[in-house]
Amino acid sequence: MEPIWKIAELRQQVAVIDGKQAPHIVLQNARYLHSMLKQWVVGNIWILGDRIVYAGERMPPALEGTEIVDCTNKTIVPGYIEPHVHPFQLYHPQSFADFCGQLGTTSFISDNLNFVLSLSNKKAFSIMDDLKKLPFTFYWWTRFDSQTDMQQEEEIFSNTSIVEWLERQDVLLGGELTGWPRLLHGDDQMLYRMQLAKGYCKKVEGHFPGASERTLARMKLFGADGDHEAMTVEEVERRIMQGYAVTLRHSSIRPDLPNLLKDIVAKELPIFDHLMMTTDGSTPTFHQDGVMDKCIQVALDAGVSPIDAYQMASYNIARYYNMANLHGFIATGRFASLNILQDEWHPVPESVLSKGVWLKRDGQRVHQLATIDYSAIPALQLDFSLTEQDFQFSMPFGIELVNDVITKPYNSMVPKIGQLAEHDESYLILLSKDGSWRVNTMIKGFATNVQGFASSYSNTGDIILIGKNKEAMTKAFEEMKAMQGGIVLVDKKEVVASIPLSIGGTLYDGTVETLMQKERLLKEALAERGYSLGDAIYTLLFLQSTHLPYIRITPTGIVDVLKNKLLLPAMMRS
């Protein structure tokens, strides 16, 4: 393992204590949260480079060239940690970090799924190493499965590949275990991968929505350490009783946090030291009013004590992942990632230090994270066009959306010829991005009047086509193809909304703020045409996801998840 600070750097840091060198920054008269004492203390925080070299009552003996910041009447807390990030929800890791840093979130623990599906490990690791150079902290988890049915899954998610991820110092855990039913059904491959993670002293994160006490106990024995799927206070208690670390969720499709915390406070459960919070990969517009700062505000509004609220977004996470020596704690030796607040009741920081770099001062952005070269991610080059054969819909059943992400099968009685009437059934095609195969069915409940819709944003990066008019669907496809990836909505032969996703066909090359505007316009246009569910972006993402019930459209065909049965295989295109 590589040391974080070299010997020469450590000598310089000690020289500051000895008065032989001046620190770069001193936060003077600071009222700050001491995470171990769980108290507010007053003192001075000395910073050299990216590290706190001292926090306590003293001032440095040498101050030549030091930036002294008077923090009288301010409150300082550790930089917030987002412990469960999917940094590929239209935005990409650097753009989302740049946005979050302005709101005090200075560390991510992130999903690696997009990297695994689009890059060799060598190329993925090169991008991750570039991200590490930014004044922001990126940690990762490694997937054990694709959360859908893929024809080359074992090739992509091989044991050799997973070990290469686990060997990295910045990979903290394995999971999330979306494929856990396979484990319960006797899949020793999954169990072996969990054991690999344990062998590298990594945590294993579950994904157990609605799990019974029996299921939780079995998964704990197999090696799961934590879970973020509790939707009621009873489910929180069930996980705590089985010894799980519990991450409470506040996301665009599961905004559970307010009610969970109110119920925990009402029941006076003494468990806040064992809770964390996450926004769980929410889509861009959900973050227009915050990220982890938003979760902290929800906790304060629910009656959680300020110290517990901040610890759930910092120290609790750092302690659980065995990195409280570096994060979530304002004390000697930690990274200088700090939020200066008006007071503990206002979690949006006035100023943000991340690894010793000012990202924000007195309410104004003063640093933008350097851009990252994502050119290693292959561009989406669609070298084929749709034909009449691609619009053959002969199936008697289709996929019905129960809500944003849950589906069930239904019998489709509508004629599948030409323009469909204004009802809630539409054509649905999943099309291979290399043009080799397609899956055709109907979708019910997506919208009542979407004529043509195309998206290269999906679980696997393959193409989703939805609509009532085959010509409009073709135009949406051609527009999306011309953009080298994106989401396109066509009505009356015109593009009415679009999001270009030029990085690999799945990621927006621009700021999160601009992306929010484009996403908002798309969602408004879909709503005007009968989309009435909560989050269309998540609908696209989860149409293929076999970790959710009941019926999914995947690269292998249409799958009944509960019965583990292929209902209709994908068809090869001529």
Side-chain angles (χ1 to χ4, degrees):
M1 293 176 67
E2 285 187 23
I4 296 170
W5 293 281
K6 297 176 181 177
I7 288 175
E9 292 174 309
L10 296 174
R11 292 295 184 190
Q12 287 181 326
Q13 292 162 7
V14 172
V16 174
I17 301 296
D18 295 339
K20 298 174 183 177
Q21 181 169 333
H24 293 140
I25 300 171
V26 172
L27 305 181
Q28 190 176 26
N29 302 320
R31 176 183 181 260
Y32 63 93
L33 175 59
H34 191 284
S35 300
M36 193 175 289
L37 292 173
K38 294 190 73 172
Q39 292 178 357
W40 302 104
V41 300
V42 177
N44 306 300
I45 303 167
W46 312 358
I47 295 166
L48 185 73
D50 61 0
R51 197 178 195 192
I52 298 171
V53 297
Y54 172 82
E57 295 180 357
R58 297 170 51 214
M59 280 292 285
L63 286 170
E64 184 177 352
T66 300
E67 177 187 3
I68 300 176
V69 181
D70 184 8
C71 295
T72 304
N73 298 325
K74 302 297 181 184
T75 294
I76 303 179
V77 295
Y80 310 142
I81 304 169
E82 222 307 359
H84 195 86
V85 183
H86 300 275
F88 308 106
Q89 304 294 53
L90 305 182
Y91 43 72
H92 54 78
Q94 180 271 342
S95 66
F96 193 47
D98 193 54
F99 173 79
C100 293
Q102 296 300 306
L103 298 168
T105 297
T106 57
S107 300
F108 287 169
I109 304 174
S110 299
D111 190 359
N112 74 335
L113 182 60
N114 193 281
F115 282 162
V116 172
L117 293 178
S118 60
L119 293 170
S120 67
N121 283 358
K122 183 178 179 180
K123 290 180 178 179
F125 295 164
S126 178
I127 292 176
M128 291 160 60
D129 290 341
D130 287 342
L131 288 165
K132 284 169 70 172
K133 297 171 186 174
L134 301 176
F136 195 93
T137 304
F138 293 88
Y139 294 106
W140 302 88
W141 75 73
T142 181
R143 293 272 189 165
F144 297 153
D145 66 276
S146 67
Q147 75 178 27
T148 188
D149 284 0
M150 297 181 65
Q151 295 168 351
Q152 297 175 309
E153 176 155 337
E154 286 306 313
E155 215 175 287
I156 297 170
F157 294 88
S158 68
N159 290 337
T160 300
S161 174
I162 289 168
V163 165
E164 289 177 355
W165 280 88
L166 291 171
E167 287 175 339
R168 284 186 63 98
Q169 194 170 338
D170 54 357
V171 172
L172 302 183
L173 67 154
E176 55 187 305
L177 297 179
T178 52
W180 61 271
R182 286 160 41 183
L183 178 61
L184 293 183
H185 293 144
D187 183 350
D188 283 344
Q189 180 78 277
M190 180 76 73
L191 185 54
Y192 175 70
R193 290 169 181 175
M194 293 172 70
Q195 290 180 319
L196 281 175
K198 293 295 186 180
Y200 282 94
C201 300
K202 314 288 185 177
K203 300 289 188 183
V204 174
E205 177 71 5
H207 186 280
F208 311 139
S212 66
E213 183 181 49
R214 179 169 175 261
T215 293
L216 291 171
R218 289 188 291 173
M219 294 308 302
K220 198 76 178 73
L221 292 172
F222 283 139
D225 296 293
D227 182 72
H228 58 281
E229 291 290 330
M231 292 176 270
T232 65
V233 68
E234 290 78 19
E235 290 186 343
V236 172
E237 290 180 282
R238 198 177 299 155
R239 284 155 174 77
I240 291 288
M241 286 296 293
Q242 296 301 319
Y244 283 86
V246 178
T247 304
L248 306 179
R249 181 172 46 192
H250 193 50
S251 77
S252 51
I253 55 170
R254 292 296 328 176
D256 299 318
L257 188 62
N259 289 334
L260 286 175
L261 288 174
K262 287 175 184 174
D263 289 345
I264 291 168
V265 170
K267 294 187 80 167
E268 299 183 350
L269 298 176
I271 60 174
F272 285 105
D273 286 348
H274 307 285
L275 300 178
M276 298 170 273
M277 299 187 287
T278 181
T279 58
D280 195 9
S282 292
T283 48
T285 51
F286 180 78
H287 293 295
Q288 58 196 349
D289 58 348
V291 192
M292 294 309 292
D293 56 301
K294 174 156 108 170
C295 292
I296 295 166
Q297 190 63 60
V298 167
L300 295 172
D301 294 343
V304 177
S305 76
I307 288 176
D308 282 330
Y310 287 99
Q311 301 270 75
M312 284 193 290
S314 56
Y315 181 66
N316 291 2
I317 300 164
R319 186 184 59 202
Y320 172 67
Y321 284 107
N322 302 315
M323 57 184 188
N325 61 315
L326 298 174
H327 298 282
F329 195 169
I330 302 175
T332 301
R334 276 67 179 183
F335 277 120
S337 295
L338 306 166
N339 292 328
I340 302 177
L341 313 178
Q342 173 185 331
D343 56 48
E344 63 265 42
W345 303 103
H346 295 83
V348 177
E350 297 179 341
S351 300
V352 179
L353 266 172
S354 183
K355 287 186 173 179
V357 175
W358 291 107
L359 301 184
K360 183 180 185 181
R361 291 296 299 269
D362 301 322
Q364 299 298 314
R365 175 192 284 273
V366 294
H367 183 90
Q368 187 151 1
L369 299 184
T371 57
I372 295 295
D373 181 5
Y374 292 112
S375 61
I377 299 176
L380 182 66
Q381 302 280 3
L382 301 174
D383 58 359
F384 62 94
S385 296
L386 300 179
T387 68
E388 185 61 33
Q389 283 187 324
D390 289 319
F391 292 95
Q392 293 179 354
F393 298 87
S394 57
M395 286 187 61
F397 68 90
I399 298 173
E400 181 176 358
L401 292 171
V402 177
N403 58 30
D404 307 50
V405 298
I406 303 300
T407 63
K408 67 179 182 181
Y410 81 102
N411 291 322
S412 176
M413 305 300 292
V414 303
K416 301 171 183 61
I417 302 173
Q419 171 79 36
L420 296 180
E422 191 169 329
H423 49 60
D424 68 348
E425 292 189 45
S426 305
Y427 299 120
L428 169 62
I429 303 173
L430 180 65
L431 184 66
S432 167
K433 59 187 172 185
D434 65 7
S436 62
W437 52 261
R438 60 178 167 82
V439 184
N440 293 45
T441 187
M442 303 292 289
I443 186 167
K444 180 179 174 64
F446 180 80
T448 56
N449 198 27
V450 166
Q451 298 301 303
F453 183 82
S455 173
S456 59
Y457 177 81
S458 67
N459 186 287
T460 59
D462 294 307
I463 311 303
I464 295 171
L465 302 174
I466 299 174
K468 292 180 171 292
N469 182 284
K470 296 174 183 179
E471 288 73 24
M473 292 168 71
T474 300
K475 180 172 177 59
F477 173 81
E478 290 297 329
E479 292 286 341
M480 181 265 296
K481 182 168 97 171
M483 293 193 302
Q484 291 190 301
I487 303 175
V488 178
L489 177 62
V490 167
D491 194 6
K492 297 177 182 176
K493 301 182 180 181
E494 298 293 332
V495 175
V496 294
S498 67
I499 302 176
L501 301 174
S502 58
I503 302 175
T506 57
L507 306 175
Y508 178 72
D509 188 11
T511 67
V512 170
E513 291 86 349
T514 304
L515 176 58
M516 284 178 179
Q517 296 171 14
K518 293 182 179 295
E519 185 199 9
R520 189 178 299 111
L521 290 173
L522 174 68
K523 288 182 173 178
E524 288 172 356
L526 284 171
E528 290 169 3
R529 289 159 180 81
Y531 182 89
S532 60
L533 302 174
D535 195 328
I537 305 302
Y538 257 106
T539 299
L540 297 175
L541 182 67
F542 282 157
L543 276 174
Q544 297 169 277
S545 296
T546 52
H547 66 290
L548 294 165
Y550 292 97
I551 183 170
R552 300 286 153 182
I553 186 168
T554 79
T556 62
I558 296 177
V559 174
D560 184 322
V561 175
L562 295 182
K563 296 179 181 177
N564 193 26
K565 181 179 179 182
L566 182 64
L567 302 178
L568 179 79
M571 294 187 64
M572 302 306 294
R573 296 180 72 245
S574 56

